[in-house]
Amino acid sequence: MPASLPPGLPTAPGGPSEPLRFTMSEDDFEAAVQDALDSIPDKLARAMDNVAVFIEDDYFPKPGEDPDTVLLGLYEGVPLTERDSWWDAGSLPDRITIFREPILDICASREDVIHEVAVTVVHEIAHHFGIDDDRLHELGWG
């Protein structure tokens, strides 16, 4: 398996140990992200505060990070559970980024992509609500 991908990703059964990869247009991928966002219950969506969702092709590790880091999504901001009364004063929106290429790299079909996008969107939104990775893994959203 290439060093750029974490261990344990799906591989073709009986084939080379290269990961499966599904091809999807940027528009179709954006629609999958939008569908995942639209599936968030209204009450939960209304509770989201000052957060923007973006799609980028790939995550590029920052200096000091493992150069082989692969992310499907990233939440950047101050979780709702950590905001104080001064937080709104000029704060930039929190940012959720969904990374297209790593998701396509681990998916073998359109259904896989739609599922992985939905899981990734829920995972990153959960971070916005202050839920950490350990708890998300316990809940099956890791």
Side-chain angles (χ1 to χ4, degrees), residues 62-125:
K62 311 238 183 315
E65 286 184 319
D66 181 343
D68 293 332
T69 299
V70 175
L71 296 179
L72 305 183
L74 178 65
Y75 169 75
E76 299 170 288
V78 178
L80 295 176
T81 55
E82 296 178 19
R83 295 180 185 180
D84 60 21
S85 61
W86 290 99
W87 183 86
D88 275 338
S91 296
L92 293 173
D94 288 5
R95 181 182 177 104
I96 291 174
T97 306
I98 307 301
F99 298 106
R100 187 168 94 77
E101 294 298 329
I103 290 175
L104 295 176
D105 284 344
I106 64 169
C107 293
S109 68
R110 179 178 183 78
E111 293 75 24
D112 288 349
V113 173
I114 290 167
H115 172 76
E116 197 59 56
V117 165
V119 168
T120 303
V121 166
V122 167
H123 182 104
E124 301 311 328
I125 288 173

Side-chain angles (χ1 to χ4, degrees), residues 24-65:
M24 179 180 273
S25 73
E26 289 180 17
D27 288 343
D28 286 346
F29 189 86
E30 184 176 328
V33 171
Q34 188 60 55
D35 288 347
L37 290 168
D38 290 345
S39 73
I40 302 298
D42 286 340
K43 186 175 182 179
L44 192 60
R46 285 193 307 271
M48 293 174 62
D49 183 36
N50 201 25
V51 61
V53 178
F54 298 90
I55 299 169
E56 292 185 9
D57 280 339
D58 217 335
Y59 175 76
F60 297 99
K62 311 238 183 315
E65 286 184 319

